[in-house]
Amino acid sequence: MEIMSNSCNKSKILIFGGTGYFGKHVVRASTSFGHPTFVFVRPATAQMPPSSLQLRGEFRSLGVTLVQGELEEHEKMVSVLKQVDIVISVLPVSAVPDQIKIIDAIIAAGNIKRFLPSEFGCEMDRITPPLPPFEALLEKKKKIRRLIEASTIPYTFVSSNCCAAYFVNFLLHPHDPRPDIVVYGTGEAKAVLNWEQDIAKYTIKVANDPRTRNRVVIYRPPGNIISQNELISSWEKKTGRRFEKACRVRIT
Ligand SMILES: NC(=O)c1ccc[n+]([C@@H]2O[C@H](COP(=O)([O-])OP(=O)(O)OC[C@H]3O[C@@H](n4cnc5c(N)ncnc54)[C@H](OP(=O)(O)O)[C@@H]3O)[C@@H](O)[C@H]2O)c1
């Protein structure tokens, strides 16, 4: 393999945003495949929820190296980057533009064999123009994509489509005891729903695969392409419940 540099023959992976909704799965996947794993986190504060502190504890028990710092600390980032091979960013949408600081640090470090920026959604260069709020979000991510392409940093862009656990809340609202489900449009439109843990595992594989260098990888397993109506039918079979389909937007 192209990216294997250390004595234990596994690439070292640094993750930004690793304590987040999606990032925690990436950290767990990285350690489960035996990669020496580093997570760049902002310093703990008194206001931090206990669940975040617990997660940091879990990471330490998995052998993860937590590096406390801010994205503004260029020298610190460069020195951490020099110790690793691969960088995966799972920073939130609000911090997507800040990834320019990671790019600058990767260029200064000069040793990174692969960078995966925070994308993990639809394939932004192929989608027909979406509604304005989503378009604005994609524009931020596209800007970072173009910057990386224009640099010499080896990259992989991951289009993981919809996080299944995240979207099932909207498509089935499984924790809602009411007997009706709001159906979007006819309910026939298909979506690709990929489970967060699977996305995370594929991402670690993809980051280490020489074939995916400077490529876009789209996670689109045929069995995961499903409409809301099909999802509701499966849910009815699984739970033995029967749902009314309400074709309206519920305002609560
Ligand atoms: N396709 C889908 O269905 C789907 C669903 C969800 C997310 N996503 C994508 O996955 C990516 C990650 O999103 P997420 O929701 O998992 O993120 P998140 O949970 O909101 O945040 C991730 C972590 O980033 C750190 N962070 C937050 N603000 C920061 C800032 N200003 N500067 C530096 N670090 C900051 C925090 O860690 P610390 O405080 O520990 O530093 C936080 O735990 C995004 O690109 C998002 O679009 C896709």
Side-chain angles (χ1 to χ4, degrees):
M1 291 275 284
E2 174 198 52
I3 301 171
M4 290 201 169
S5 63
N6 50 65
S7 53
C8 70
N9 223 19
K10 288 276 184 184
S11 57
K12 295 180 184 170
I13 300 182
L14 172 64
I15 299 163
F16 288 87
T19 54
Y21 172 76
F22 176 55
K24 61 182 177 294
H25 298 294
V26 178
V27 175
R28 289 172 184 150
S30 177
T31 58
S32 75
F33 287 127
H35 292 278
T37 304
F38 299 67
V39 181
F40 197 90
V41 291
R42 292 175 299 175
T45 62
Q47 295 75 38
M48 190 168 265
S51 56
S52 298
L53 292 173
Q54 257 171 22
L55 190 60
R56 290 179 185 212
E58 177 199 320
F59 288 169
R60 282 194 193 94
S61 71
L62 291 172
V64 170
T65 305
L66 295 179
V67 181
Q68 293 207 36
E70 301 282 356
L71 298 177
E72 288 70 28
E73 293 181 88
H74 178 78
E75 295 306 327
K76 183 182 265 185
M77 284 214 284
V78 172
S79 81
V80 182
L81 286 163
K82 283 186 173 162
Q83 301 171 50
V84 302
D85 307 296
I86 292 174
V87 179
I88 301 175
S89 168
V90 268
L91 286 173
V93 171
S94 58
V96 160
D98 295 327
Q99 291 178 113
I100 191 164
K101 295 165 194 156
I102 301 176
I103 294 172
D104 286 345
I106 289 176
I107 291 169
N111 62 300
I112 294 303
K113 298 185 178 71
R114 197 71 65 88
F115 177 41
L116 281 65
S118 189
E119 296 201 351
F120 306 103
C122 64
E123 181 23 37
M124 61 187 81
D125 285 331
R126 294 195 197 178
I127 190 173
T128 45
L131 291 172
F134 191 49
E135 192 169 21
L137 181 163
L138 293 184
E139 280 309 315
K140 286 187 195 171
K141 291 188 173 182
K142 277 187 193 174
K143 243 185 210 166
I144 294 295
R145 226 189 221 203
R146 302 287 94 86
L147 274 177
I148 297 166
E149 286 166 339
S151 75
T152 54
I153 302 169
Y155 63 83
T156 302
F157 300 140
V158 171
S159 162
S160 54
N161 286 299
C162 302
C163 283
Y166 185 85
F167 272 90
V168 155
N169 285 319
F170 302 107
L171 299 173
L172 291 180
H173 29 92
H175 308 296
D176 190 335
R178 283 179 282 191
D180 62 324
I181 291 180
V182 174
V183 173
Y184 295 93
T186 62
E188 291 301 321
K190 300 271 187 181
V192 188
L193 298 186
N194 293 317
W195 192 35
E196 281 80 339
Q197 294 188 27
D198 290 341
I199 297 175
K201 284 182 185 163
Y202 275 119
T203 298
I204 299 301
K205 294 278 183 200
V206 155
N208 283 279
D209 191 326
R211 296 169 300 176
T212 62
R213 184 189 153 113
N214 295 351
R215 306 293 291 264
V216 177
V217 182
I218 301 173
Y219 302 170
R220 201 170 186 274
N224 291 30
I225 303 172
I226 191 163
S227 70
Q228 189 183 8
N229 287 340
E230 289 166 336
L231 205 59
I232 292 169
S233 299
S234 305
W235 189 231
E236 284 178 332
K237 262 190 219 142
K238 195 170 173 63
T239 59
R241 290 171 65 190
R242 192 96 195 109
F243 297 99
E244 292 300 318
K245 291 181 184 174
C247 297
R248 61 186 157 77
V249 175
R250 176 185 287 151
I251 299 166
T252 50

